[in-house]
Amino acid sequence: MPEADRTVPPSPAIEAAAVPRPAYRRKLFWVALLYFSEGLPLGVFYDLFPVWFRQQGVPLADIGALSLLGLAWTVKFLWAPAVDHARRHRWWICAANLGMAGVMLAFAYAGIALGAWAWVAIGVFTMLSATNDIATDGYTIELLDAREYGLANGVRIGFYRAGMLAAGAMLIVAGWWSWPWAWALGAAAFVLNGLVALLAPAERARPGAPTSSLGSEWAALRSQPLFLVALALVLVGLLWPVLPPLLKWLARPELAGLQATSTTWWFRGALPVALMFAGAALLVGAARGREASALRAGPMFGAWVELLARPGMVAVLAFILLYKLGDTAMGFMVRPFWVDAGFTPAQIGLVSVNLGLGLSIAGGLVGGWYVDKRGIFRGLWVLGLWQAASNLVYAFAAWQVPLMTPGALVTGLEVAAADQAVVYAASAMESLTQGLGTGAFLAFLMSITSKERATTEYAILSSIFAFSRSVAGWAGGIGAQELGYANYFFLTFWLAFPAYLLLPSVRRMLGRSTDATRGEPAGA
C-alpha cells in the first residue's frame, strides 16, 4: 500500500475529545440545576410568606420581624462542619428538599389558618434551606476549578434568581385557584429538586482534611469557655423570634405582662439582634486569642479560627456584612408594597415569572462575564453601583403609585395602566441589577475560601451576609411602617455606600489570594 494511502486511526483520547459530552455531564449544567434548587426556598421566604401574611392583615412591622426567622442562614456555620465532615453533599441536598416539601404540605393542609405553628414551621423551613445551601455551596466549590469561577458564578446567580422567581408560579396558582394549591405545587417542586440532586456527579477526593479529631477539639474547647458563651448567645438570639408568637398562642394569664412586652419593637427585633451581635463579637475575640491556636486544626472551629487569623480579615468580614445592605434592606418590603398598591398575587407572580426570570438570568451572566473580563475588584465597585440604582427606581415608583385603602377588596383592576408600567419597570430594573452585583460578590467569597475547608469557610462567609439580610429585613418593616414606602426606599439607596469605605481592605485581600496570582491584578 502506498504511504500516502495509509490512514492512521485516531487515538481513543482524540475521539473522546471530539465527541461533545452530554449536557447532564457538564459542570455548568449541574451548577444551574443545583442553584435553581437553592434559590427556590429563598423565593418562597421572601415572596410567598410576606404576601400570604399581608393578605391576612398582618402589620408591616410583624412581617419585617418574620425575616428574623431567616437568622438560620446566619448561623449555618454551626452545623456546616457536620456536612463538611460527612461529605455526601447530594444526600444532604435531597434530604433538605424533602423536608421543605413537608413544610409546604403542612401549609397546604392548614389552609389560611394563621397561628404560632406557622412561625415554627417557617423556622424549620429556613433551617432546612440553610442546610441545603451548605451542601450545595460546598459541592460546587469542590466541583469547579478556580479558572471556572467567573462564568460559573454567572450561571449560579442566574439560576439562583430563576429559582427565587419561580416562586412566582406559586403566587399565580394562589391567585387563580387558592393558597393550598400553591403550597402543594411548592411541595412537588421541592421533591423534584431533591430527587434530581441524587443524579449529580459524585464528589471528588478532597485535597486535604483537618488533622485534629472532633473529640480532641471539644477537649480544647472545654478549656476556653468564651467560645461556649458566644455560641449560647448566638443560639438564643436565633430562637428568640419564635418567642412572641409562642406567648400569644399560649395565652396564659400569668404570662400577660410578658406577652404585652413581646409586642414591642425592641423585644421582637432589637433584643435578638443584640444577642447575635454580642455572640459574634465574643466569637471574633475568642478566635483571635492566643489559646485559639489549639483549635485551628479542628473540624468544627478550625475554619473559623483560620479565617480570622488572616491579615485584614475583620475589615473584609465587615465588607461582607455591608456590601448588599441597601439591597436587602429594601427587598423584604417590595412584595408588601405591591400588595398595598393593589396588585393581586397572580399579577405579582406573572411579572416575576415572565419579566423577572429572563432579566435575572441575563444579569447573572453579564455579571459573571464582566468579572471574568475586568476582575473581581472592579466588578465589586462598578456592578455595586448598578445594584444600588434599583432602589432609586423603586423609590420613584412608590412616590408615583397610590396605595389602596386598608381592607379594600383587591381585584387588580384598581391599578392604573401607567402605575402598573412604573412598578413593572422597577421590578425589571431590580431583577437585572441584583444579578450584576451578586456576580462579583459571590466570586469574591469563593476566591478567599480554601478547597480543604470549602463547605465550612463558605458557610461562615455567606452566614455573615445572611445576618445583614435578616436584620435589614426586620428593620425594613419598622422603616416602611414609620417612613412610608417611598421615603424608606430612598433611604435604602444610601445604605449601599458604607461598604465602599472598606474596598482598600478588599483589594489587599484579593492581592493575597490564590485567585489574584492566577490573573486577578491586585489593583484591578
Side-chain angles (χ1 to χ4, degrees):
M1 178 184 296
E3 190 72 24
D5 293 338
R6 290 182 183 174
T7 57
V8 179
S11 68
I14 295 176
E15 284 187 325
V19 178
R21 287 180 296 170
Y24 65 84
R25 293 184 59 190
R26 297 174 191 153
K27 290 182 181 180
L28 294 184
F29 173 81
W30 289 107
V31 169
L33 287 184
L34 293 176
Y35 276 89
F36 179 90
S37 168
E38 186 174 325
L40 180 60
L42 199 65
V44 171
F45 185 74
Y46 271 90
D47 288 351
L48 265 75
F49 290 143
V51 172
W52 186 65
F53 273 66
R54 191 58 174 164
Q55 283 197 329
Q56 297 186 68
V58 176
L60 289 176
D62 288 347
I63 295 176
L66 173 69
S67 73
L68 291 176
L69 292 175
L71 289 173
W73 285 297
T74 297
V75 296
K76 62 185 179 183
F77 67 87
L78 294 177
W79 63 93
V83 179
D84 211 5
H85 179 72
R87 303 298 299 286
R88 300 184 180 276
H89 299 95
R90 297 167 299 154
W91 289 97
W92 284 99
I93 295 169
C94 178
N97 275 276
L98 294 181
M100 288 186 283
V103 174
M104 294 292 96
L105 290 177
F107 274 90
Y109 178 78
I112 60 171
L114 179 62
W117 73 268
W119 293 79
V120 175
I122 295 173
V124 171
F125 181 86
T126 58
M127 294 280 286
L128 292 167
S129 175
T131 304
N132 183 48
D133 291 0
I134 294 168
T136 301
D137 293 335
Y139 177 85
T140 305
I141 293 173
E142 292 189 18
L143 177 71
L144 297 172
D145 297 323
R147 67 180 182 275
E148 298 171 321
Y149 284 170
L151 181 58
N153 274 321
V155 174
R156 288 175 71 196
I157 297 155
F159 280 87
Y160 184 88
R161 291 281 298 178
M164 288 181 62
L165 295 173
M170 297 170 65
L171 283 174
I172 295 173
V173 171
W176 286 352
W177 289 289
S178 64
W179 278 103
W181 281 107
W183 300 124
L185 175 63
F190 283 118
V191 169
L192 181 61
N193 287 340
L195 296 179
V196 167
L198 295 179
L199 302 177
E203 294 90 338
R204 294 182 293 184
R206 175 170 288 174
T211 57
S212 173
S213 67
L214 187 61
S216 61
E217 185 180 34
W218 278 105
L221 190 64
R222 285 195 295 270
S223 64
Q224 302 176 53
L226 190 59
F227 266 108
L228 298 177
V229 173
L231 290 175
L233 288 174
V234 169
L235 289 174
V236 171
L238 171 67
L239 297 173
W240 195 274
V242 179
L243 187 57
L246 184 61
L247 290 171
K248 184 177 180 180
W249 177 70
L250 291 173
R252 301 287 293 273
E254 60 271 22
L255 298 176
L258 183 58
Q259 182 179 341
T261 304
S262 70
T263 61
T264 60
W265 68 269
W266 61 266
F267 187 95
R268 298 178 71 94
L271 195 53
V273 169
L275 289 171
M276 295 283 288
F277 265 118
L282 286 178
L283 274 177
V284 170
R288 294 176 69 86
R290 186 174 303 174
E291 300 83 0
S293 59
L295 298 171
R296 185 170 297 180
M300 183 77 174
F301 293 98
W304 181 259
V305 173
E306 193 275 331
L307 271 177
L308 289 175
R310 298 179 191 174
M313 194 64 194
V314 173
V316 170
L317 295 181
F319 173 81
I320 295 171
L321 189 71
L322 296 172
Y323 181 67
K324 292 182 72 66
L325 184 60
D327 173 30
T328 55
M330 182 185 74
F332 214 68
M333 288 296 107
V334 165
R335 293 301 180 255
F337 163 67
W338 282 56
V339 173
D340 289 351
F343 289 86
T344 66
Q347 287 176 311
I348 298 172
L350 282 170
V351 172
S352 295
V353 173
N354 294 333
L355 183 64
L357 187 59
L359 289 173
S360 294
I361 295 175
L365 292 175
V366 170
W369 171 84
Y370 188 87
V371 168
D372 261 353
K373 294 295 183 182
R374 298 294 184 179
I376 294 174
F377 180 76
R378 187 181 295 273
L380 284 171
W381 73 265
V382 172
L383 300 180
L385 293 176
W386 284 99
Q387 178 178 265
S390 65
N391 295 49
L392 282 181
V393 178
Y394 252 115
F396 175 76
W399 272 315
Q400 289 291 112
V401 179
L403 301 182
M404 296 285 294
T405 304
L409 178 64
V410 176
T411 65
L413 301 177
E414 298 85 355
V415 186
D419 292 338
Q420 289 186 33
V422 170
V423 176
Y424 292 166
S427 178
M429 181 72 173
E430 182 199 25
S431 297
L432 179 65
T433 59
Q434 300 321 304
L436 294 175
T438 306
F441 185 62
L442 292 185
F444 171 64
L445 295 187
M446 292 180 72
S447 71
I448 60 176
T449 58
S450 63
K451 289 279 187 179
E452 291 79 6
R453 287 183 167 127
T455 301
T456 304
E457 287 191 8
Y458 194 88
I460 293 171
L461 297 175
S462 57
S463 292
I464 295 167
F465 160 62
F467 179 74
S468 69
R469 182 175 61 199
S470 297
V471 174
W474 158 70
I478 298 174
Q481 185 169 281
E482 299 300 323
L483 300 176
Y485 288 114
N487 291 331
Y488 178 69
F489 290 166
F490 182 69
L491 174 64
T492 63
F493 168 75
W494 299 103
L495 296 179
F497 296 103
Y500 279 67
L501 300 175
L502 298 167
L503 281 175
S505 297
V506 170
R507 172 181 283 179
R508 288 190 290 270
M509 178 64 70
L510 286 170
R512 287 187 290 264
S513 68
T514 56
D515 288 85
T517 62
R518 70 175 179 84
E520 172 70 40

